[in-house]
Amino acid sequence: RKRTAVLISGRGSNMGALISAAMAPSYPAEITLVISNRPDAKGLERAAEFGIATAVVDHKDFAGDRQAFEKAIDDVLKEHRIDLVALAGFMRILTPYLVNAWSGRMINIHPALLPSFKGLATHERALEEGVKLHGATVHFVSAEMDDGPIIVQGAVPVLDHDTPDTLAARVLDVEHKIYPKALELVATGKTKVTGARVVTGAENNNSAELI
Ligand code: GAR
């Protein structure tokens, strides 16, 4: 089982979905560490309740020195002999320093169907643009924000009465399905990356989730 760290900044519902999936003994990854850049992140308490080691690396302690912040994260990851890193609502942009060190071993979930709606306020922007399908993406992390080879996507309909909140809730449900699926594909070594494309060799396409 691949020793996996989850990096969070807030409530940690995706972290919870990964922890639940990893409770099955047959799941190829175990969550052995949760790191937050915010000491008050709700997800930290939740992780501790599951008996998972937690660490806080507060970006405010590094006075804008991004590399020192990232080195501190890297040190904790190494201390815990981590194999894979899953960013789950981790709201700091990482520099090539950490991204390159973990290339092919660090994944992220983004609340939109990339490459549409990179960045923040994805649900507001999806409604403004009038798209009829929206969703979430799990991808390998590359040096560019919300970029990198796509592992799994989940799509949801946009409904007439949607507000950013109702749409966010529908997308969050699909996030909780696709993140465990993506981590499983990566942890079993099934993901082969060619350029921007990830193939898994599965006979049936297991990389799209439609709600
Ligand atoms: C999730 O919707 C995740 O996709 C998003 O933050 C939320 C975290 O929720 N991530 C980003 O916006 C990354 N830029 P959670 O803490 O309950 O998992």
Side-chain angles (χ1 to χ4, degrees):
R1 307 230 288 161
K2 292 281 195 278
R3 294 174 60 81
T4 303
V6 183
L7 270 56
I8 63 168
S9 298
R11 123 194 102 167
S13 72
N14 278 290
M15 173 205 76
L18 294 176
I19 292 172
S20 297
M23 278 178 173
S26 61
Y27 194 78
E30 55 181 331
I31 311 303
T32 52
L33 174 67
V34 171
I35 302 179
S36 173
N37 66 306
R38 298 183 57 118
D40 58 350
K42 280 275 170 282
L44 284 172
E45 294 161 29
R46 213 156 152 205
E49 283 166 18
F50 282 104
I52 295 168
T54 61
V56 175
V57 181
D58 188 343
H59 59 277
K60 292 187 184 137
D61 293 341
F62 296 88
D65 184 344
R66 283 172 178 267
Q67 186 156 329
F69 168 63
E70 293 184 1
K71 182 175 184 310
I73 291 176
D74 200 37
D75 286 347
V76 183
L77 295 172
K78 289 194 175 118
E79 210 175 284
H80 287 260
R81 306 187 321 281
I82 292 302
D83 301 308
L84 296 173
V85 178
L87 309 180
F90 184 69
M91 304 308 276
R92 304 299 298 174
I93 291 173
L94 295 173
T95 75
Y97 172 78
L98 195 67
V99 169
N100 292 339
W102 287 87
S103 176
R105 296 179 298 154
M106 182 184 275
I107 62 179
N108 178 49
I109 188 157
H110 180 72
L113 290 172
L114 292 174
S116 291
F117 309 121
K118 296 178 179 185
L120 299 175
T122 56
H123 310 305
E124 284 84 342
R125 287 154 56 213
L127 290 173
E128 272 166 28
E129 295 288 349
V131 297
K132 299 300 181 198
L133 282 172
H134 186 44
T137 303
V138 182
H139 62 96
F140 284 109
V141 176
S142 72
E144 304 220 4
M145 185 192 63
D146 299 330
D147 205 57
I150 291 171
I151 306 162
V152 180
Q153 290 189 304
V156 303
V158 178
L159 304 178
D160 287 351
H161 55 76
D162 267 332
T163 64
D165 284 349
T166 61
L167 187 53
R170 194 172 310 119
V171 171
L172 195 64
D173 275 347
V174 87
E175 292 187 41
H176 297 164
K177 292 197 171 78
I178 65 171
Y179 214 171
K181 190 185 261 193
L183 178 59
E184 181 174 0
L185 289 168
V186 173
T188 49
K190 287 194 178 132
T191 45
K192 305 261 175 303
V193 183
T194 312
R197 198 144 181 226
V198 178
V199 293
T200 58
E203 269 181 42
N204 301 313
N205 184 350
N206 191 32
S207 307
E209 180 82 35
L210 301 172
I211 283 192

